[in-house]
Amino acid sequence: KACNCPRDKALILMMVDTGLRRTEVCSLDWGQIDIASGLVHVIRGKGGKARSVVVGATTRRALLAYKRTLFATDDRQPLFQTNTGDRLKSMGLRSVFKRLSDASDVYLTPHVLRRTFATLSLRSGMNLLYLQGLMGHSTIEMTRRYVQMIDDDLIEAHREHGPIDTLVKR
């Protein structure tokens, strides 16, 4: 709700829907996104590694709404742009997050949104190996560090799979 322009909304949705790193988001061009399928090709990931991530329908609609506000949107144009059409860089992204944090009273950073992606994906039932691939982690241990289990998750998991109650139900 604090996003008062299409770019900010598309940016937040993109980061929560993909778990992309700050530098990965800033380096994206329009040509790296297949709006029809939602496939996003990250060419310059951490360590120079390329990978693919996916955006859902809601994020794609937000990206298209944002695209309609831009002057130039050919495949080589940066996905997220400043008001003058230049690439949104790290400090510009930081300013966007500061403004949105102040407006919403919610602490927002690119890393918080990356962690949110990991946690929500796992809660929704995503396989940990798929999550590892989407996040661009070289080890499953790194992915596990990102996933924050909260007490409610643990209670629900035990309710469904606790050994004693499971045996008693049979």
Side-chain angles (χ1 to χ4, degrees), residues 4-160:
N4 58 9
C5 69
R7 182 200 65 191
D8 293 354
K9 181 177 181 180
L11 176 65
I12 295 297
L13 289 174
M14 177 74 149
M15 294 189 80
V16 173
D17 207 14
T18 62
L20 288 174
R21 296 174 178 94
R22 170 184 43 87
T23 55
E24 293 169 338
V25 168
C26 289
S27 69
L28 285 175
D29 294 333
W30 281 103
Q32 292 170 250
I33 298 176
D34 181 349
I35 291 291
S37 69
L39 199 61
V40 178
H41 301 283
V42 179
I43 296 170
R44 294 178 291 272
K46 187 172 182 179
K49 296 178 187 173
R51 75 176 191 285
S52 294
V53 296
V54 181
V55 291
T58 302
T59 302
R60 283 182 271 162
R61 282 191 296 274
L63 285 168
L64 287 172
Y66 165 54
K67 190 174 189 177
R68 287 190 294 273
T69 69
L70 299 175
F71 179 70
T73 58
D74 67 52
D75 285 355
R76 295 168 305 196
Q77 291 296 116
L79 179 63
F80 293 107
Q81 302 175 15
T82 65
N83 292 337
T84 59
D86 295 322
R87 183 175 302 280
L88 185 65
K89 295 189 176 128
S90 186
M91 290 307 291
L93 191 65
R94 185 179 190 168
S95 295
V96 169
F97 276 88
K98 171 80 170 106
R99 182 173 36 77
L100 292 174
S101 289
D102 291 345
S104 66
D105 285 330
V106 175
Y107 178 68
L108 289 173
T109 67
H111 198 74
V112 164
L113 297 186
R114 185 166 162 77
R115 190 174 294 275
T116 299
F117 163 77
T119 302
L120 293 178
S121 294
L122 192 64
R123 281 184 188 165
S124 297
M126 185 180 286
N127 179 298
L128 198 56
L129 291 174
Y130 293 149
L131 183 59
Q132 175 188 355
L134 289 170
M135 294 191 73
H137 289 154
S138 56
T139 67
I140 202 75
E141 287 307 313
M142 180 57 77
T143 305
R144 286 185 183 176
R145 283 195 225 162
Y146 270 80
V147 179
Q148 298 176 339
M149 295 292 168
I150 59 172
D151 291 343
D152 290 344
D153 295 326
L154 298 175
I155 291 167
E156 183 60 30
H158 193 274
R159 185 176 295 131
E160 288 183 38

